[in-house]
């Protein structure tokens, strides 16, 4: 699961000490996955003991009465172990969360990804002393969730970050820092199976399957600006990493026969392949990647307020 290091103008823990939190994220993620796996196994064992006791009760009531003390003791021991593992997850988790941890491994993986995603949103919008308000749009943003849950741990996400460069504030397109290269990406979320007609004009046309036409800003403009700003910052810091500029639509087709030089286009026909390729990237975090993340975060704009407990 990729690390969300910046969301728009939200304050982020990564801004304070990127190297520390990037390493801590991977360590905590492994620990919490193992804790949930252990809890799931203990719950499965407890359920088996309970079902076994019920079966015995049907034909061997007397034996069951003698054996019940031991079974109850086993279940109690199992519950005590669950509690210890549960306490190791997080201070703010409660018993209702523990009760929702699935036994089935496939369900557990989905549950874990949801948990880590919510955990990441907290890290990307707060510090120990300050907090930013996440908009409903961000909380429900499908693209952000897909990228965070599908890309590897070694990928860093800056989701439409707001940077202060040369005394000017600019909201950029999404920046994905991989171990060996950088992707500046604009995502076009249109109606399913609609067609975006690309051109050099300021506005593109989206044609829906219902025959409705909509106007959208030409994504190339934002993408070229983002690429130019990132290139300039890296050049000043003597960081040499390839920068790719990409337009992606996972829902629609893009008809853009002559895009500007250096811009790649992936629509609903290639989106899955693009994502699958990056999911398979097993390269570890690199030093140049860390330097780039720290550099870009140093230009980040943060709109936050003091937590109530820190006001006194």
């Amino acid at each position: 699961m990729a690390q969300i290091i910046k969301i728009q103008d939200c304050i982020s823990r990564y801004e304070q000490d990127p190297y520390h939190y990037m390493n801590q994220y991977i360590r905590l993620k492994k620990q919490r996955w193992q804790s949930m796996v252990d809890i799931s196994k203990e719950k499965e064992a407890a359920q088996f003991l309970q079902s076994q006791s019920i079966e015995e009760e049907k034909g061997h009531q007397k034996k069951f009465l003698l054996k019940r003390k031991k079974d109850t003791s086993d279940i109690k021991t199992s519950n005590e172990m669950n509690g210890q593992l549960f306490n190791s997850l997080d201070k703010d988790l409660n018993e209702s969360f523990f009760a929702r941890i699935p036994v089935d491994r496939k369900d557990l993986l989905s549950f874990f990804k949801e948990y880590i995603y919510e955990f990441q949103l907290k890290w990307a919008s707060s510090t120990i002393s300050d907090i930013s308000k996440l908009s409903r749009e961000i909380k429900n943003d499908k693209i952000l969730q897909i990228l965070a849950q599908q890309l590897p741990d070694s990928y860093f996400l800056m989701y439409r970050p707001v940077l202060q460069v040369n005394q000017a504030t600019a909201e950029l397109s999404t920046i994905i820092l991989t171990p060996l290269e950088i992707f500046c990406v604009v995502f076009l979320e249109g109606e399913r199976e609609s067609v975006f007609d690309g051109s050099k004009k300021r506005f593109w046309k989206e044609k829906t399957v219902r025959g409705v036409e909509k106007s959208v800003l030409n994504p190339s403009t934002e993408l070229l600006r983002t690429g130019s700003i990132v290139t300039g910052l890296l050049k000043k810091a003597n960081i040499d990493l390839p920068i790719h500029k990409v337009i992606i639509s996972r829902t629609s087709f893009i008809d853009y026969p002559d895009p500007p030089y250096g811009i790649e286009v992936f629509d609903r026909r290639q989106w899955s392949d693009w994502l699958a390729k990056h999911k398979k990237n097993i390269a570890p975090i690199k030093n140049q990647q860390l330097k780039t993340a720290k550099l870009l975060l140093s230009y980040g704009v943060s709109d936050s307020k003091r937590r109530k407990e820190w006001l006194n």
Side-chain angles (χ1 to χ4, degrees), residues 13 28 32 36 85-98 100 111 115-123 126 131 307 309:
R13 297 191 189 199
L28 286 174
R32 295 179 187 197
M36 284 195 188
L85 292 167
F86 166 68
N87 289 335
S88 72
L89 284 178
D90 209 346
K91 292 179 181 178
D92 60 355
L93 302 184
N94 52 39
E95 288 185 12
S96 63
F97 177 88
F98 167 76
R100 297 201 313 273
F111 181 86
Y115 164 73
I116 291 294
Y117 181 62
E118 292 297 324
F119 174 81
Q120 285 204 81
L121 290 181
K122 287 182 181 179
W123 269 26
S126 67
I131 188 166
R307 290 181 184 271
E309 57 267 33

Side-chain angles (χ1 to χ4, degrees), residues 161-180:
V162 179
L163 304 187
Q164 179 98 26
V165 183
N166 296 329
Q167 315 255 309
T169 300
E171 180 173 329
L172 307 184
S173 58
T174 296
I175 301 171
I176 304 174
L177 306 176
T178 81
L180 298 173

Side-chain angles (χ1 to χ4, degrees), residues 35-60:
S35 293
M36 284 195 188
V37 168
D38 291 342
I39 290 172
S40 180
K41 287 179 179 178
E42 291 299 330
K43 288 177 73 173
E44 184 177 25
Q47 288 176 9
F48 175 76
L49 285 173
Q50 289 171 332
S51 63
Q52 188 180 52
S53 296
I54 291 170
E55 287 298 317
E56 289 177 1
E57 187 176 11
K58 290 179 181 177
H60 308 89

Side-chain angles (χ1 to χ4, degrees), residues 2 21 31 71 95 98-99 146-147 153 184 189 193 203 273 282 284 287 312:
Y21 281 105
Q31 289 174 352
D71 285 348
E95 288 185 12
F98 167 76
I146 289 172
L147 294 175
D153 292 352
C184 302
E189 285 289 275
E193 297 191 355
F203 290 96
D273 291 337
I282 59 173
N287 189 48
N312 296 330

Side-chain angles (χ1 to χ4, degrees), residues 170-203:
E171 180 173 329
L172 307 184
S173 58
T174 296
I175 301 171
I176 304 174
L177 306 176
T178 81
L180 298 173
E181 51 198 351
I182 300 169
F183 290 87
C184 302
V185 189
V186 170
F187 290 93
L188 288 176
E189 285 289 275
E191 288 193 20
R192 187 158 294 279
E193 297 191 355
S194 66
V195 178
F196 286 98
D197 281 336
S199 69
K200 295 179 180 178
K201 297 179 181 179
R202 189 180 177 203
F203 290 96

Side-chain angles (χ1 to χ4, degrees), residues 66-121:
L66 294 172
K67 190 175 180 292
R68 187 172 181 182
K69 283 187 178 180
K70 183 181 183 304
D71 285 348
T72 303
S73 175
D74 289 342
I75 294 170
K76 184 178 179 183
T77 301
S78 168
N79 287 338
E80 286 173 356
M81 189 176 294
N82 285 345
Q84 291 171 3
L85 292 167
F86 166 68
N87 289 335
S88 72
L89 284 178
D90 209 346
K91 292 179 181 178
D92 60 355
L93 302 184
N94 52 39
E95 288 185 12
S96 63
F97 177 88
F98 167 76
R100 297 201 313 273
I101 294 177
V103 171
D104 179 80
R105 182 56 67 95
K106 186 177 179 181
D107 293 339
L108 180 63
L109 182 59
S110 297
F111 181 86
F112 177 72
K113 284 188 173 185
E114 288 297 323
Y115 164 73
I116 291 294
Y117 181 62
E118 292 297 324
F119 174 81
Q120 285 204 81
L121 290 181

